[in-house]
Amino acid sequence: MGSFSGFIRKSPSQRLMRFFEARSVIVPESFDWTSSGRGGALVLSIEELLDSLPDRKQDNLKAELDHLASLANKSCLVSAEQVCAGHGIELEGFEGLQDILLMLAVDHPEIIDRIAAQSSLMRKTGGKQWSAFQFEDDGKPWTLDDERAREVFLADAIKILDLPDHRKREADWYKSIRINSITGEETEIIQATIYVEERPESELAFGASETLERQTVQKVLEVGIACDAKERIVEICAKGGKRIRDDYANAFAKNFAPQSATPIETPRRDVMLNILRSAPDFDVEPADGIDRIEVSSLNFFSTGGGFMHMERRGEDETIYQFLERRFGNTSPLKAAGWQITGATLRIILAATEGKRRRTLTVTLRTPNTTTLPNKTEQDRQFAFSLLERWGLLAPRTQEGDGLGES
């Protein structure tokens, strides 16, 4: 968490001046802004300015600045870029994240909470309170912009949380833009943060009589939803365990994808495709019942901006032998400046008693997409165990909490 003093020191003076003006703070003409936020003098001057304000206003401003300081970190910078891109807010030319946050606090205050929610979702991705669900690519459109569907989905969320109907609730829907770290490709994400009144808690606080009183504090529970309509993936970050997130996924399908089959939970972990730069020696055990494995396609991205898709199937020649024969040292597997961004594996399972030989097809794409067209739980678990054994998946994250309470 960033400190108040560090935030002030790194903030441009002109932006701080505008922030205080927008909050109707009267600053003396003699106030010295010349330190440009780089030294301790400005921090002390602003602390003295805040101390001179009426108590309630002083508390509110300090709390707001503390909150902005808590967002001044690298993950929130990425979140700010994604959320602002989704809103068409240009961030070029700003003097760092502090400058951006102060501008948003004045000109787009609703964006601040979205950045906080987005940053929280990014931190929890892959953790125990997060799940991703893969819909089948059936070509049937989602109705994410349907206001009625959004209302019913929010009502379903209240039922899932098992809260009384009178609890206040609100869903904040917005767009963000994710950028592939390797290719720079942009993906539009539709996101929703659901805010619901949680069960109240009793706490001690100073009341109007300036004596300690026990007061009821209404907590707010947050649930995060991120939808990638292109890849047909829905991410859910929520407390309550796997069953709760399954219920959210089913509610999403019912309201926004009623024509599609029930989505399947798919672990989203970083894929490690450099292993496929040379013909891999897949570790196979007799108990796996695998006849053979082939890499049937590879996708490449060049640092110069080019894309290449190579596909080769057949028992007579592997894709590696084909690239060597056709391109030699200029093959994207050997030439400088090419990165593997996707691959398709075909796992041919040997025939067993009562069952014919069949094929499991697994597609991997950077940074963390894994699709399994065969939707049975047994096949999914089998395929993921193989990918882990072969080093194609990064280790599982141990990140804990969900989006949480506020």
Side-chain angles (χ1 to χ4, degrees):
M1 177 176 175
S3 68
F4 168 84
S5 59
F7 183 83
I8 296 299
R9 283 196 303 272
K10 295 177 183 178
S11 298
S13 294
Q14 291 298 319
R15 190 68 66 184
L16 283 168
M17 289 174 62
R18 187 166 177 228
F19 174 81
F20 282 106
E21 288 174 2
R23 300 299 182 264
S24 301
V25 176
I26 299 175
V27 181
E29 292 184 6
S30 60
F31 193 90
D32 183 12
W33 298 95
T34 57
S35 60
S36 301
R38 299 297 180 186
L42 182 58
V43 175
L44 293 174
S45 297
I46 287 182
E47 287 178 341
E48 291 175 358
L49 177 64
L50 292 171
D51 289 343
S52 69
L53 299 175
D55 292 345
R56 189 61 63 189
K57 188 168 188 177
Q58 176 186 148
D59 289 344
N60 290 340
L61 274 174
K62 284 184 175 179
E64 184 176 8
L65 287 169
D66 280 339
H67 180 54
L68 294 178
S70 73
L71 298 177
N73 54 65
K74 289 183 179 180
S75 67
C76 278
L77 175 58
V78 175
S79 300
E81 291 170 343
Q82 292 181 353
V83 174
C84 288
H87 290 75
I89 300 173
E90 181 59 60
L91 298 183
E92 286 294 328
F94 282 85
E95 300 178 35
L97 182 54
Q98 291 77 13
D99 193 12
I100 292 171
L101 291 171
L102 286 168
M103 178 277 292
L104 293 173
V106 173
D107 296 338
H108 306 279
E110 75 284 356
I111 300 294
I112 296 294
D113 286 337
R114 291 174 179 174
I115 291 173
Q118 171 72 348
S119 180
S120 180
L121 179 63
M122 288 173 60
R123 289 196 311 272
K124 310 317 181 202
T125 296
K128 65 180 182 180
Q129 299 292 346
W130 174 94
S131 295
F133 295 85
Q134 177 76 59
F135 282 76
E136 186 176 355
D137 189 8
D138 56 11
K140 298 172 182 176
W142 289 355
T143 57
L144 292 171
D145 293 329
D146 189 319
E147 290 298 330
R148 176 57 182 165
R150 291 182 176 186
E151 291 175 5
V152 177
F153 179 67
L154 182 56
D156 287 343
I158 299 299
K159 294 177 182 177
I160 292 170
L161 292 168
D162 194 25
L163 294 172
D165 289 339
H166 70 268
R167 295 279 192 236
K168 295 178 182 177
R169 79 290 304 265
E170 180 178 321
D172 181 25
W173 291 85
Y174 58 96
K175 293 180 182 179
S176 67
I177 303 295
R178 292 183 184 174
I179 300 177
N180 187 294
S181 59
I182 295 177
T183 66
E185 186 178 7
E186 296 184 353
T187 300
E188 182 179 278
I189 304 295
I190 304 297
Q191 297 194 209
T193 305
I194 299 174
Y195 300 94
V196 182
E197 277 189 326
E198 178 59 294
R199 294 175 179 84
E201 295 181 4
S202 179
E203 296 181 356
L204 285 174
F206 283 98
S209 62
E210 298 187 356
T211 59
L212 278 176
E213 300 175 358
R214 184 157 291 279
Q215 298 181 355
T216 299
V217 178
Q218 194 71 56
K219 297 291 185 179
V220 175
L221 177 69
E222 300 175 16
V223 176
I225 312 288
C227 315
D228 183 345
K230 181 180 178 181
E231 296 290 345
R232 302 185 73 80
I233 292 173
V234 175
E235 302 172 37
I236 297 172
C237 187
K239 288 185 173 183
K242 181 181 183 302
R243 183 188 64 78
I244 292 292
R245 294 189 296 279
D246 286 345
D247 289 344
Y248 280 119
N250 290 332
F252 179 93
K254 181 189 76 173
N255 290 290
F256 300 115
Q259 303 177 63
S260 299
T262 303
I264 301 300
E265 182 177 359
T266 57
R268 296 202 75 195
R269 290 150 60 187
D270 286 350
V271 297
M272 304 168 70
L273 298 181
N274 274 341
I275 296 169
L276 301 179
R277 190 162 286 279
S278 58
D281 182 15
F282 292 113
D283 179 16
V284 176
E285 300 173 359
D288 296 331
I290 294 175
D291 185 39
R292 74 176 192 277
I293 305 160
E294 64 181 43
V295 179
S296 61
S297 73
L298 290 169
N299 292 345
F300 301 92
F301 172 74
S302 168
T303 52
F307 292 87
M308 180 184 292
H309 173 78
M310 300 300 300
E311 187 167 351
R312 179 70 175 176
R313 289 177 56 180
E315 298 183 15
D316 59 325
E317 186 179 46
T318 69
I319 193 170
Y320 296 94
Q321 293 167 336
F322 169 77
L323 288 170
E324 174 66 24
R325 175 174 60 81
R326 181 64 180 82
F327 298 102
N329 289 332
T330 63
S331 161
L333 290 170
K334 294 183 177 181
W338 289 94
Q339 297 186 65
I340 303 177
T341 61
T344 298
L345 309 183
R346 300 181 72 243
I347 305 169
I348 294 89
L349 301 176
T352 58
E353 186 176 346
K355 294 183 179 180
R356 294 181 296 176
R357 191 176 73 167
R358 61 194 183 94
T359 300
L360 280 177
T361 303
V362 181
T363 299
L364 309 171
R365 288 191 292 273
T366 59
N368 54 16
T369 299
T370 303
T371 58
L372 291 171
N374 193 307
K375 299 300 183 182
T376 70
E377 179 68 19
Q378 182 178 358
D379 282 345
R380 282 199 314 277
Q381 295 303 322
F382 174 61
F384 277 113
S385 68
L386 292 175
L387 295 176
E388 289 177 337
R389 185 195 305 170
W390 298 336
L392 289 166
L393 290 180
R396 295 177 183 272
T397 178
Q398 297 300 315
E399 182 65 54
D401 295 336
L403 234 62
E405 299 172 330
S406 57

